[in-house]
Amino acid sequence: MSILANKNIFVTGGSRGIGKAIVRTAMEEGANIAFTYLNSEEEALAFAEEMSSRYPSQRCLARRCDVTDTEAMEKTIKELITDFKQIDGLVNNAGITRDMVLARMSREQWDSVINTNLGSMFNATKPLVLQMVKQRTGSIVNISSVAGVYGNSGQSNYAAAKAGMIGFTKALSAEVAPYNIRVNAVAPGYIQTDMIGVLDHDTLNYMRDRINMRRLGTVDDVAPLVCFLISDKSLYITAQVVQVDGGITL
Ligand code: NDP
């Protein structure tokens, strides 16, 4: 039996990287998916079409929506609830980095990272948690980072946002546990996506040396865990932060 059969799941930032792998794995496990994207329209639409034709009895919807736009997110989620009726899972995945030492960081670099990684949690989660409370069921997974656990030089904006996501996870999980809603965070280490494609060879080698398993992660190291946390296989797991980092020491 597929662990996400008949589950309806909303994923932010499903057009590339980890989010795309979560969509693919969740569909392999029987889910219906709606995911958002912002800039990668061609890739998002082609991916949704590929998934829909590979799994004809399931749904895969791609919606262009900026996670930093509160009203647009509310509208998108309202439409989704009307369409899907029940939303069983939310994955807050969309994120960006704008790395810079704080002394040289612009206000724009700070705001864009905080708004995209952390502000988006309010925008996506508030309307969906109201629906989950009505349903008396739901599972939310927030994609944080080891940077939010340990901090990381040059990433004070990103580390603050990702640590904020962990605080949000723990506070919200306490609020909604009585309604049978679970909230967990996943904190990946260095995962091979476009996001770390901006790092140079030497930095990547330096990072690899700090990982006990001596390799960077892949999106498929992360996606199955997220699917497990959304599924009914993890019904007694909430308020946790699970690191997927190959044993990193930052
Ligand atoms: P990618 O850069 O590969 O993908 C980012 C995704 O987020 C894209 O689908 C992008 O959509 C979407 N996105 C970005 N900004 C917005 C926005 N304003 N509105 C809607 N969608 C948006 O990143 P990863 O897959 O690597 O990262 C996914 C998550 O995992 C992030 O939260 C990241 O912080 C976290 N993470 C990643 C790690 C890594 O090493 N890769 C390590 C730890 C955590 P589009 O292209 O359409 O704009």
Side-chain angles (χ1 to χ4, degrees), residues 13-18 37-40 65-68 93-96 116-117 143-145 158 162 188-191 193-196:
S15 51
R16 293 185 290 115
I18 294 171
Y37 62 93
L38 182 58
N39 298 309
S40 310
C65 189
D66 184 344
V67 289
T68 67
N93 165 77
I96 58 167
T116 306
N117 295 277
I143 309 299
S144 176
S145 166
Y158 185 72
K162 293 303 190 186
Y190 280 75
I191 308 298
T193 66
D194 297 340
M195 184 173 273
I196 67 162

Side-chain angles (χ1 to χ4, degrees), residues 2-3 5 9 23 47 63 127 146 167 178-180 196 201 203 210 248:
S2 306
I3 65 169
I9 301 169
V23 172
F47 177 50
R63 292 282 178 269
V146 291
Y179 301 99
N180 194 32
I196 67 162
H201 193 67
T203 308
R210 304 186 83 94
I248 206 165

Side-chain angles (χ1 to χ4, degrees), residues 14-235:
S15 51
R16 293 185 290 115
I18 294 171
K20 189 174 187 178
I22 292 167
V23 172
R24 187 185 297 108
T25 309
M27 290 206 70
E28 271 167 27
E29 290 295 341
N32 300 301
I33 298 281
F35 73 84
T36 61
Y37 62 93
L38 182 58
N39 298 309
S40 310
E41 178 136 281
E42 209 174 305
E43 187 162 357
L45 298 181
F47 177 50
E49 205 175 300
E50 182 200 333
M51 289 293 102
S52 300
S53 59
R54 190 179 302 172
Y55 304 102
S57 61
Q58 295 161 239
R59 302 183 66 197
C60 186
L61 307 181
R63 292 282 178 269
R64 184 172 190 281
C65 189
D66 184 344
V67 289
T68 67
D69 184 333
T70 307
E71 280 176 21
M73 282 295 282
E74 206 172 328
K75 183 167 175 284
T76 298
I77 288 168
K78 238 186 205 159
E79 288 169 2
L80 188 68
I81 292 169
T82 306
D83 186 353
F84 279 62
K85 310 286 185 281
Q86 169 146 332
I87 306 293
D88 305 286
L90 161 64
V91 184
N92 281 308
N93 165 77
I96 58 167
T97 51
R98 295 285 181 270
D99 296 355
M100 184 55 65
V101 290
L102 185 67
R104 295 179 56 195
M105 187 179 290
S106 67
R107 184 73 209 191
E108 195 281 326
Q109 285 169 323
W110 174 266
D111 286 342
S112 60
V113 168
I114 297 292
N115 293 340
T116 306
N117 295 277
L118 185 59
S120 61
M121 306 271 293
F122 178 84
N123 294 340
T125 313
K126 186 184 167 190
L128 273 177
V129 93
L130 283 168
Q131 173 63 19
M132 289 177 174
V133 166
K134 280 189 209 148
Q135 299 168 179
R136 296 290 193 272
T137 182
S139 176
I140 298 168
V141 178
N142 301 319
I143 309 299
S144 176
S145 166
V146 291
V149 178
Y150 302 114
N152 195 22
S153 174
Q155 290 197 312
S156 58
N157 50 359
Y158 185 72
K162 293 303 190 186
M165 291 177 77
I166 291 172
F168 178 96
T169 298
K170 293 184 182 226
L172 182 65
S173 70
E175 284 177 24
V176 298
Y179 301 99
N180 194 32
I181 300 166
R182 298 178 296 110
V183 191
N184 291 289
V186 168
Y190 280 75
I191 308 298
Q192 286 167 295
T193 66
D194 297 340
M195 184 173 273
I196 67 162
V198 297
L199 302 177
D200 62 42
H201 193 67
D202 288 347
T203 308
L204 287 176
N205 276 342
Y206 173 79
M207 290 318 307
R208 205 174 278 115
D209 287 344
R210 304 186 83 94
I211 298 168
N212 291 334
M213 295 188 83
R214 294 290 184 270
R215 70 168 177 89
L216 304 177
T218 71
V219 292
D220 295 318
D221 291 320
V222 182
L225 170 66
V226 175
C227 291
F228 169 76
L229 290 172
I230 291 288
S231 80
D232 293 348
K233 298 285 179 195
S234 56
L235 286 177

